[in-house]
Structures are given as structure tokens and as C-alpha cells.
Amino acid sequence: MIMRGWEGNIRKVVPYTPGEQPKDKKVIKLNTNENPYPPSPDLMRAVKEWDGDGLRLYPDPSAEILVDAIARYHGVYPEQIFVGVGSDDVLAMSFLTFFNSSKPILFPDITYSFYDVWAELFRIPYERLKLSEDLSIVPSDYFKENGGVVFPNPNAPTGVDMGLDAIEEILEHVRDVVVIVDEAYVDFGTRTALPLIKKYENLLIVRTFSKSRSLAGLRIGYAMGSPVLIKYLNDVKFSFNSYTLNQPTICLGAKAMEDEEYFQETLRKIIDTREWAKEELRALGFSFADSKANFIFVKHKYCPAERLYSELREAGIYVRHFDQDRIRDHLRISIGTQEEMEILIRFLKEYLSSI
Ligand code: PMP
């Protein structure tokens, strides 16, 4: 390929590939770990009653009502909360702010595939540490010198929970750089590392409204940590774009934190369906690490993952396949409604018995 002279000075990156968002509404969408249930009726009402009059004004750059609602919910101070446009924005800002060393940052080899994209974008050296054969993170691998640590708990796309003791073990050994625990899926049955922010000033917890709160379309993510970490994050954010969250999002996001009962009920349904799906998938010859997230990362005993992926797609059921070393033989199946999962299982039963 011919490169023009001016192209030599361009910041070139290989972008992250998000899961597909099909236009066809009839598709059973088990490919992006969204919540299959709608936002709460109270939130839907607030959307309908939204008064657009104030839109001529800029939104509150500090998103105070949203920050306050999140702080209240978690029992921390507003100075301990940073908000952004989905946790992708929060994570990107965190990489830019905290990973500024010449030593490599560390994350698992099988994990959220945006981490290496941000590292490449911001020219941060990085090292991927191999998960064990059973797809768990090995804490002692992270004890070496590094420029920062980031991992999801539970991990994605495996769904494996590493447990608070293992997280604290890492924190005990990694004192001089920032440790980010990406808790995108924590509400589906894992213990949060939040209590540890009191003890470890260098710990940042990142959360999202996209999964457990049924609001992927609104784009809200947040980070929790010591006030000093949050201040550094805000300094970078305000050097980049003051108005990240828009007015409706700030209001609706604050409102969404109020409906605890609906939130818990939705979580319960997803967890019950996940546990049901595990049994069914196992009976069909799938194996998987035990998932604590709203997806299961499965491998079939004889049917190649890519073939299953195409067959499912043909049948209008979208799941995710990663064409990546070590996980090429897996599919990540998000947990849909009970009815959607029953359709999936019925299809798999028929297909696998026909080949
Ligand atoms: N972290 C992990 C581990 C994820 O899987 C995702 C979803 N793609 C995100 C962060 C980002 O989610 P969002 O930007 O919607 O908050």
C-alpha cells in the first residue's frame, strides 16, 4: 500500500470491534451482554415526561445530581465518584490518567479486548499475563514491577470471579501504581472490591449502567476510589472535554439509582436463567468455567465454535465469537430472558442431534 508523506505522522490504531447491533428487531440478541429486561417503569415514565426546554443550556459539567445519587447509593462521598460516557469512557480516561509509566501495565491475556486497544492508542507499554488452564487469573503473576494493573472481576469473556482475597493479595503487592478493577458484571453475583478503597488509595473500581441497570443506550459509567484518585481523573477529563454526559442522561441516570426493588428483581431473573442455562448447556455437551456474569463462555465437545456461531446466526440468534488464540473454540452467550434462552436451548438440541 502506498503511504502519503503526511500519513507518516498520524496516530494509527487498530480499533476495538464492538458486538453487532442488528437492525432486525426480531433477532435474539445474546452477543453484547445487554440486559434483556427494560429499564424500570419509573424510569420509562421519566423518559416520557422529559422536558426538553433546558436543552439550549450546557449540561452541568460536574453532573452533580448523578454523582450524588451514585455516592448515596454506595455510601461514599461525592468526591469519590467520577462519571463518564459508559465505562469505556471512564476506563479510557483512567488509562490516560494513571498509566503513565515506562514500565508495562499488566492485564490478563484473555480479558476485555478494549484494554490493549487503549494501551496502543495512548502508547502505554503492556504485558498480557496468561490465565491458568481453568481460565482463572493467577494473582502472584501480578506481583512483579509494573506500570499499573487492570482486570475485570468477574473477568470477561470468561465470567470467572477471582474473589476478594485474591484481589487484596494483588493490592498488597502493587502499592506504587494504580490498580483498576473493572466491575462491569459484579452485580450478577460477585462481591465488590468497593470496601477496599478505604484501605488502598491506589484502587479504582469501575462500574457501568449498561448491564445490570438495563441502560446500555444511555451510556453511563462511573469510577469509585479515593478522593485524590478521582481528582486526578477529573483534571484529565476537564482537560479533554468538560461536557461528557448530556442533560437527559444526567437526570435519568440519577433517577435510575432509586429503583432498587426493580433492579434486584431483574438481577434475580437473570441469575436464575443463567443457572438454568448452565444445566441445559452442560447436558448438551458444552463445558465452561463457572460464570458469575450475565454471560456464559462455552465450548462444545465436538462442534466447532465458528460453525455453531454461523448456524445460530442463520437461525436469528446472535452470540459472540472471538477469533483469537486460546479462545477460538469458545462462544460467549449473553443471558437473555428465560423465553429467549429456551429458544436457544431448543435450537441447540435439534442442531446438535442432527450432525
Ligand atoms: N468492561 C467490560 C469488562 C465490558 O465487557 C464492557 C462492555 N463492553 C465494558 C467495560 C464497557 O461497557 P460500557 O461502556 O457500556 O459501560
Side-chain angles (χ1 to χ4, degrees):
M1 206 172 75
I2 302 167
M3 203 153 71
R4 299 160 197 89
W6 53 265
E7 284 183 284
N9 290 317
I10 281 176
R11 185 178 292 267
K12 296 185 193 70
V13 282
V14 180
Y16 170 77
T17 314
E20 198 177 339
Q21 294 297 108
K23 300 278 177 296
D24 180 358
K25 293 277 180 286
K26 288 198 291 291
V27 160
I28 295 185
K29 206 173 166 301
L30 310 176
N31 67 332
T32 46
N33 300 340
E34 289 142 330
N35 198 309
Y37 298 104
S40 76
D42 276 357
L43 194 91
M44 299 292 246
R45 214 167 300 123
V47 171
K48 288 206 184 90
E49 287 166 9
W50 169 254
D51 173 11
D53 195 41
L55 286 180
R56 65 190 179 77
L57 302 175
Y58 282 109
D60 169 13
S62 58
E64 198 176 307
I65 60 166
L66 176 59
V67 165
D68 286 352
I70 296 170
R72 240 188 341 267
Y73 183 84
H74 288 292
V76 299
Y77 296 108
E79 305 78 59
Q80 294 182 281
I81 304 289
F82 173 84
V83 289
V85 185
S87 54
D88 280 343
D89 181 43
V90 173
L91 286 163
M93 283 293 135
S94 304
F95 271 54
L96 187 58
T97 309
F98 301 123
F99 296 161
N100 198 26
S101 157
S102 56
K103 291 178 199 145
I105 61 164
L106 308 177
F107 49 84
D109 66 335
I110 300 169
T111 194
Y112 186 30
S113 48
F114 224 138
Y115 297 160
D116 51 357
V117 176
W118 287 313
E120 294 281 349
L121 173 65
F122 299 133
R123 311 288 188 251
I124 301 164
Y126 63 95
E127 194 182 329
R128 296 188 186 101
L129 302 178
K130 217 166 168 210
L131 294 186
S132 63
E133 279 311 306
D134 67 354
L135 301 183
S136 340
I137 290 175
V138 182
S140 56
D141 290 351
Y142 292 77
F143 296 174
K144 61 181 170 186
E145 254 199 276
N146 63 70
V149 170
V150 56
F151 55 84
N153 193 52
N155 194 10
T158 63
V160 174
D161 168 27
M162 75 188 290
L164 277 196
D165 290 347
I167 293 177
E168 189 155 14
E169 232 185 294
I170 293 178
L171 286 161
E172 279 295 321
H173 287 83
V174 183
R175 297 291 198 149
D176 298 332
V177 289
V178 173
V179 175
I180 300 176
V181 181
D182 177 354
E183 292 193 336
Y185 302 100
V186 77
D187 292 325
F188 300 103
T190 325
R191 272 169 71 205
T192 175
L194 184 61
L196 297 176
I197 64 172
K198 280 207 194 91
K199 194 164 162 197
Y200 300 94
E201 237 186 358
N202 61 329
L203 168 63
L204 191 79
I205 310 277
V206 176
R207 294 279 189 97
T208 178
F209 280 42
S210 300
K211 322 291 180 181
S212 55
R213 294 194 180 272
S214 303
L215 288 170
L218 209 52
R219 308 304 298 130
I220 303 177
Y222 58 102
M224 299 182 277
S226 55
V228 63
L229 274 191
I230 300 302
K231 184 200 172 294
Y232 280 123
L233 254 180
N234 271 315
D235 285 349
V236 169
K237 179 225 141 152
F238 281 103
S239 309
F240 193 82
N241 178 359
S242 320
Y243 306 108
T244 47
L245 291 174
N246 61 53
Q247 261 184 40
T249 299
I250 294 171
C251 289
L252 295 172
K255 181 115 196 98
M257 295 309 280
E258 290 169 11
D259 210 342
E260 185 64 11
E261 204 177 311
Y262 179 86
F263 174 63
Q264 292 299 341
E265 184 191 315
T266 306
L267 284 179
R268 188 75 264 147
K269 283 198 279 194
I270 294 170
I271 293 169
D272 287 349
T273 299
R274 177 187 70 203
E275 296 309 308
W276 173 85
K278 282 179 187 171
E279 290 307 310
E280 296 289 320
L281 288 165
R282 205 172 282 126
L284 288 172
F286 288 93
S287 57
F288 43 85
D290 191 33
S291 171
K292 293 278 192 243
N294 66 337
F295 52 82
I296 310 176
F297 196 49
V298 304
K299 178 179 168 177
H300 193 258
K301 62 182 177 195
Y302 57 80
C303 189
E306 228 177 327
R307 184 162 156 198
L308 263 182
Y309 168 83
S310 311
E311 290 294 333
L312 283 165
R313 200 183 152 84
E314 195 69 4
I317 305 173
Y318 285 28
V319 298
R320 190 103 195 244
H321 177 248
F322 299 93
D323 190 15
Q324 185 192 323
D325 282 352
R326 292 186 83 203
I327 56 171
R328 209 162 268 121
D329 51 359
H330 284 73
L331 291 178
R332 191 195 66 191
I333 305 175
S334 308
I335 305 299
T337 60
Q338 181 67 26
E339 294 71 35
E340 287 173 328
M341 297 309 276
E342 282 172 13
I343 295 171
L344 167 84
I345 297 295
R346 214 173 308 132
F347 175 85
L348 289 172
K349 230 175 237 170
E350 272 171 34
Y351 178 69
L352 291 168
S353 62
S354 74
I355 59 172

